[in-house]
Amino acid sequence: MASSTPPPPSEPQSFTQMDKEMLSIGGTCQFLTCDSYDFLPFRCESCHGRFCQDHRTEAGHKCAHAGEWAARLLQQQANKTPSSSISSLSQKPTLLTATQCSSPQCKTFIDTLNSVGVVCSTCNRKYCLKHRIPEDHECSKITPLGARQSSGSVKQTDRARAALGRLKIWGKEKQAAVLPKPKPSTAATRAVVLNQLKRAAKGDEKIPVEKRIYLHVEAEANTTTSKLPKGEFWYNKAWSIGRLLDDAARGLQVQNVNNRGGGEEERLRIFHVEGGRLLEFGEKAEDVLSQGNTIVLLRGVGPASSDA
């Protein structure tokens, strides 16, 4: 009969034998000079080796296939073809990539993940949820897109043309008044007037002094509604006429819907008094304007033309 007495304890050793079940968890670091055991080793996605925390990176274990994982990831991303609609919705909306609400006072981007656009069946324009109701965007005062010109619009066009005609006459008179005269005091007088304009003018303080152009700005009363009828301002002479117009409209607090579509009867334009013509949006201010000139904001006068 076998004895139940336990075997005598073996002599003490300098190591402890690990349980086989414990060895099935984790693994040995495969870095040549390490060989440490890690219960939660890391797997390199480039060489598929198993490493401890100290040697888990490609640089840490001097991976022989460094960069292969990154190359595979780039190839996978290149092979993906997400739909253009999802891509356009996911990117941050800007004036170049998104549409704004058609209400002049609203700057909300519509047709995005956060805000949908609603088309008004009366004026055929698209609005945000806040201005989707006709009463909220004063639909009765807006000419529907694609509609024939009403008698009121014709009257507005006639008023705009009449205003433009008066401005042309004023421009000719002013042009004759500012022509150089054979008087030694003429240049000095113009310098005094320009200095007075500079002292009274307002503008963006971030514009360097050497890049400023000082102008008299007015809003034509028969075609526009402004809180300030006129003023003196400075602008960056490197700006385009379109950008200068936007800043001038803000300065006189004139409603500006040029960037929201619509017909020519709602569009603002700049009339250069000394030059006697409407300026194109793409022209440079330094090319067509001079210090101390006068510009007038008009609405509904039609596009600029060579004989304007």
Side-chain angles (χ1 to χ4, degrees):
M1 184 174 178
S3 177
S4 60
T5 304
S10 60
E11 296 181 0
Q13 302 290 337
S14 62
F15 59 88
T16 301
Q17 186 176 3
M18 298 182 68
D19 190 355
K20 291 183 179 180
E21 293 183 0
M22 186 179 294
L23 289 174
S24 65
I25 303 174
T28 304
C29 177
Q30 295 179 344
F31 187 57
L32 295 177
T33 60
C34 181
D35 203 31
S36 63
Y37 195 88
D38 197 319
F39 289 101
L40 295 173
F42 297 85
R43 179 174 180 266
C44 176
E45 295 298 332
S46 292
C47 67
H48 304 292
R50 187 172 52 194
F51 302 94
C52 65
Q53 183 175 3
D54 294 335
H55 303 107
R56 68 187 186 277
T57 63
E58 293 180 350
H61 63 265
K62 300 178 181 179
C63 184
H65 302 277
E68 288 189 5
W69 170 79
R72 289 197 304 269
L73 183 63
L74 291 175
Q75 185 62 37
Q76 292 174 2
Q77 292 177 348
N79 293 336
K80 291 181 181 179
T81 55
S83 62
S84 58
S85 59
I86 297 178
S87 177
S88 61
L89 287 176
S90 61
Q91 63 182 352
K92 184 177 180 181
T94 64
L95 286 173
L96 300 178
T97 61
T99 305
Q100 280 185 290
C101 172
S102 296
S103 177
Q105 293 79 21
C106 183
K107 296 183 179 181
T108 302
F109 290 109
I110 56 177
D111 294 333
T112 65
L113 290 175
N114 298 325
S115 179
V116 298
V118 180
V119 178
C120 176
S121 58
T122 303
C123 64
N124 300 327
R125 288 172 169 80
K126 188 173 284 189
Y127 298 90
C128 66
L129 295 178
K130 182 180 179 181
H131 298 103
R132 68 187 187 279
I133 302 175
E135 288 76 12
D136 291 336
H137 61 259
E138 299 182 343
C139 190
S140 58
K141 300 180 181 180
I142 302 175
T143 303
L145 291 177
R148 292 185 177 181
Q149 210 174 29
S150 63
S151 58
S153 300
V154 173
K155 292 180 180 179
Q156 166 66 17
T157 304
D158 291 341
R159 288 197 299 268
R161 290 176 179 174
L164 181 60
R166 290 194 299 272
L167 284 173
K168 287 182 178 180
I169 297 174
W170 180 32
K172 291 180 180 179
E173 293 174 351
K174 189 162 185 176
Q175 193 173 23
V178 299
L179 287 176
K181 299 177 182 178
K183 292 183 179 180
S185 61
T186 302
T189 302
R190 289 199 296 266
V192 171
V193 172
L194 181 58
N195 287 332
Q196 292 175 348
L197 170 60
K198 290 182 177 180
R199 286 195 295 269
K202 302 176 182 179
D204 188 355
E205 297 289 346
K206 296 180 180 179
I207 301 176
V209 176
E210 65 273 9
K211 293 185 178 181
R212 295 178 183 179
I213 183 170
Y214 296 83
L215 302 173
H216 299 278
V217 185
E218 299 186 16
E220 208 284 318
N222 290 324
T223 60
T224 61
T225 301
S226 63
K227 293 185 178 181
L228 302 174
K230 63 175 65 177
E232 290 75 31
F233 301 91
W234 74 70
Y235 308 99
N236 193 325
K237 59 184 178 182
W239 284 358
S240 65
I241 293 299
R243 183 174 179 182
L244 191 150
L245 184 147
D246 293 339
D247 203 70
R250 283 193 296 268
L252 295 183
Q253 301 183 40
V254 178
Q255 186 184 57
N256 182 11
V257 294
N258 285 14
N259 297 325
R260 302 179 186 272
E264 190 62 43
E265 67 276 2
E266 300 179 3
R267 192 181 295 271
L268 278 177
R269 291 193 178 271
I270 286 182
F271 181 82
H272 181 207
V273 175
E274 285 77 9
R277 68 180 182 92
L278 294 172
L279 301 180
E280 295 281 1
F281 295 136
E283 292 182 289
K284 292 289 186 181
E286 59 185 345
D287 296 335
V288 294
L289 298 173
S290 301
Q291 300 285 359
N293 280 180
T294 302
I295 59 174
V296 182
L297 305 184
L298 301 97
R299 191 186 309 277
V301 295
S305 58
S306 57
D307 58 348

